[in-house]
Structures are given as C-alpha cells and as structure tokens.
Amino acid sequence: MRVLGIAGWSGSGKTTLLADLIPLLVARGLRISTIKHAHHEFDVDKPGKDSYRHREAGATEVLISSAKRFALMHEHRGAIEPTLDELVARLSAVDLVLVEGFKHENHAKIEVWRSEVGKPMLQPNDSNVIAVASDRPMPGLAVPVLDANNHVQIADFIMGWMAQPVVSGARRGAAE
C-alpha cells in the first residue's frame, strides 16, 4: 500500500481537499482508505449505547458490526499512541492510504499551504514533502507547486506519483 499525507496547519483546507480528492481518485480505479489524526480527545460512540457502556466498563476493544459496516474502537488505556506505521498495518489492503495529520511523521506528503493561515511552510524543512498545494504561485520551491483550488490537477499529480516506483529502503510512500 502506498501512503500519502495531506499535511498543513489547521485552516489550510486539508479536509476539504481530501473530501474532493477521494471520489476523483476512486473514479480512476484506486481503492482508498484514510487515517485522520485528532489532536484532542474524540469519541465516535454515544453515551448510553451498548458499545459505549462496554468501553466504559473497561473493554480494550469494542467492535460494532452490521450488514453495512463495522467499526473498531480501541482504548489505549494509558498505552503510548500508535505510530502511523502501526495504524497503517491495521488497515485492510488498498491501493492508497491518504493521511490527514501526522505532519511530522516520515511519509510522503503534499503540503497544503495558504498565506492567510499565517503559519510557516513545512517545506523545505521536511524532505518528505513531495509537492505544495497553494493558493498562490510560489516560484523557487524545490518541489512542484499545485493549485490548491484545482483538485483535478492534484489528483493527476497523485496518479503520476502512484505510477512511480517506491524508493527502496525509504518510507517515501510505502507501508512497510
């Protein structure tokens, strides 16, 4: 499986970009999974539901299943947060895992950078950034600059990246 991050600061448009990229890439024949990192406590369950009660009672994992989907909730219970590699290893095999967040992990990334956010770029300090999607021209960057508002152009770039061989011995986009 190839792993590609959509990285950037809060408010840069990562989620909007991902929501538009997924159907574009699926229409081109890719099987896609996503991993989203949350910097705060979150819950996908509701108080009072059986699965919530199971977790609150102390279960480490609760799997909810129906004819249409299943969800696995895992409580760390004081353990260290898993790395991106550990999370990718838990996924079913797909062509591409798109990652939102985990901007400091060692995987290929497209940086989403918008001037109005007022934060510094990850590139050139992150050698894993393979392109920058921006709302303005950025001459002189060492990586391709994509139009952050042209999601078809970004999907084209990703398809080209997917066609390239994985660099041996490096994380640069391959789950190991």
Side-chain angles (χ1 to χ4, degrees), residues 78-99:
I80 296 172
E81 181 179 2
T83 66
L84 179 57
D85 284 338
E86 291 168 333
L87 295 171
V88 168
R90 296 184 73 105
L91 294 175
S92 299
V94 294
D95 301 309
L96 177 62
V97 178
L98 292 171
V99 177

Side-chain angles (χ1 to χ4, degrees), residues 32-152:
I32 305 284
S33 288
T34 64
I35 295 177
K36 163 72 173 122
H37 188 261
H39 292 284
H40 46 79
E41 189 171 320
F42 71 95
D43 206 332
V44 296
D45 212 355
K46 295 179 182 174
K49 294 292 185 181
D50 294 346
S51 54
Y52 183 90
R53 292 179 64 202
H54 296 179
R55 284 189 307 118
E56 289 299 304
T60 298
E61 290 190 330
V62 176
L63 192 144
I64 306 169
S65 182
S66 74
K68 293 193 179 224
R69 70 188 55 91
F70 77 86
L72 175 64
M73 291 173 285
H74 178 93
E75 293 292 322
H76 296 312
R77 303 267 181 234
I80 296 172
E81 181 179 2
T83 66
L84 179 57
D85 284 338
E86 291 168 333
L87 295 171
V88 168
R90 296 184 73 105
L91 294 175
S92 299
V94 294
D95 301 309
L96 177 62
V97 178
L98 292 171
V99 177
E100 182 178 348
F102 292 97
K103 68 177 165 261
H104 299 296
E105 291 248 4
N106 186 28
H107 62 287
K109 303 172 190 101
I110 294 175
E111 178 178 358
V112 181
W113 189 83
R114 294 185 187 272
S115 55
E116 68 267 10
V117 173
K119 295 281 190 173
M121 293 185 68
L122 302 174
Q123 197 287 331
N125 298 322
D126 184 346
S127 64
N128 292 304
V129 173
I130 61 170
V132 172
S134 179
D135 58 346
R136 64 184 180 101
M138 305 188 77
L141 288 185
V143 297
V145 177
L146 308 170
D147 180 348
N149 299 312
N150 186 340
H151 298 169
V152 171

Side-chain angles (χ1 to χ4, degrees), residues 1-6 17-18 20-35 84 88 91-100 107-110 130 154-164 166 171-175:
M1 292 191 300
R2 302 289 299 263
V3 176
L4 179 63
I6 304 299
L17 175 58
L18 272 169
D20 286 351
L21 279 177
I22 293 167
L24 291 172
L25 295 169
V26 168
R28 295 174 188 211
L30 293 183
R31 292 173 306 129
I32 305 284
S33 288
T34 64
I35 295 177
L84 179 57
V88 168
L91 294 175
S92 299
V94 294
D95 301 309
L96 177 62
V97 178
L98 292 171
V99 177
E100 182 178 348
H107 62 287
K109 303 172 190 101
I110 294 175
I130 61 170
I154 298 169
D156 290 343
F157 177 85
I158 292 171
M159 293 302 293
W161 174 79
M162 290 285 295
Q164 296 174 7
V166 176
R171 175 88 169 88
R172 305 275 305 169

